[in-house]
């Protein structure tokens, strides 16, 4: 009796951990069955829906990278390349302003330590964003395949469909693909709890 009592909690613990698919049925199991981390998976499903598909996500991140690069270049130009002395002291009227050279001859020849630090930190941040862009490509392509092949929702439809439809398709998918092995059926409440688990924990922690 004691051994049986100890075995039951172990079995429940294994279910709660949602075992890795490779341990359950090997490499032949479908990619979207027995998800090992449902919290992260449903969060990615919602993020993909919220950003309206792969093209919108990639376009937004490319624009972000270009904006950061433009901001860095503009800051360097204003801080060290622009001839502020000539513009402030020599530009009195239209004729004198036309004779003033906008860029300094010695621009960027001896940048200040602060400018070097600023450019270095900003450049490292831009490179990190670029690496993050390429690092996220594979998960984004996988999520597009999940929406297209499993939920039967293409990126063009994400511009008009509601989140309720996505949740309904995920609930229906559970009956055939078993995304979650802990329970046979998923509900909209289960999905919402998975997505907002961290936020709900923080709210409960603050209100305690």
């Amino acid at each position: 009796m004691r051994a049986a009592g100890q075995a039951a909690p172990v079995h429940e613990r294994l279910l709660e951990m949602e075992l890795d698919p490779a341990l359950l049925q090997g490499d032949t199991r479908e990619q979207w069955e027995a998800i090992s981390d449902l919290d992260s998976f449903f969060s990615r499903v919602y993020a993909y829906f919220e950003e309206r598909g792969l093209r919108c996500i990639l376009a937004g991140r490319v624009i972000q990278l270009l904006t950061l690069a433009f901001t860095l270049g503009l800051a360097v130009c204003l801080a060290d390349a622009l001839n502020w002395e000539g513009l402030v002291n020599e530009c009195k009227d239209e004729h004198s302003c036309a004779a003033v050279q906008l860029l300094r001859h010695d621009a960027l020849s001896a940048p200040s330590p602060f400018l070097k630090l600023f450019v270095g930190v900003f450049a490292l941040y831009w490179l990190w964003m670029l690496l993050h862009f390429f690092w996220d490509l594979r998960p984004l392509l996988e999520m597009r395949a999940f929406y297209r092949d499993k939920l039967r929702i293409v990126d063009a439809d994400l511009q008009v469909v509601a989140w309720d439809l996505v949740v309904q398709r995920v609930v229906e998918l559970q009956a055939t693909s078993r995304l979650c092995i802990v329970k046979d059926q998923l509900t909209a409440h289960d999905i919402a709890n998975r997505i907002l688990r961290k936020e709900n924990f923080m709210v409960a922690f603050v209100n305690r």
Side-chain angles (χ1 to χ4, degrees), residues 31-32 40-41 44-45 48 54 57-58 61 132-147:
Q31 181 182 5
W32 304 113
S40 175
F41 174 73
R44 290 194 294 120
V45 169
Y48 191 87
L54 181 65
I57 295 173
L58 295 182
R61 295 188 181 182
H132 195 268
F133 172 81
F134 288 107
W135 183 267
D136 285 345
L137 279 179
R138 182 175 178 180
L140 288 172
L141 292 173
E142 292 176 349
M143 189 54 58
R144 182 182 66 170
F146 174 76
Y147 266 84

Side-chain angles (χ1 to χ4, degrees), residues 152-207:
R152 303 184 304 281
I153 300 175
V154 296
D155 281 359
D157 293 339
L158 286 176
Q159 308 301 321
V160 294
V161 301
W163 173 244
D164 293 344
L165 176 63
V166 178
V167 172
Q168 179 184 347
R169 297 282 176 87
V170 172
V171 171
E172 294 173 353
L173 183 63
Q174 168 67 12
T176 57
S177 295
R178 294 301 301 273
L179 301 174
C180 174
I181 64 172
V182 176
K183 53 196 309 184
D184 294 334
Q185 294 182 342
L186 281 176
T187 64
H189 187 261
D190 295 329
I191 297 174
N193 282 340
R194 292 283 185 171
I195 296 173
L196 299 174
R197 184 186 297 275
K198 292 182 179 179
E199 288 77 3
N200 291 338
F201 174 79
M202 291 302 301
V203 170
F205 180 78
V206 171
N207 292 337

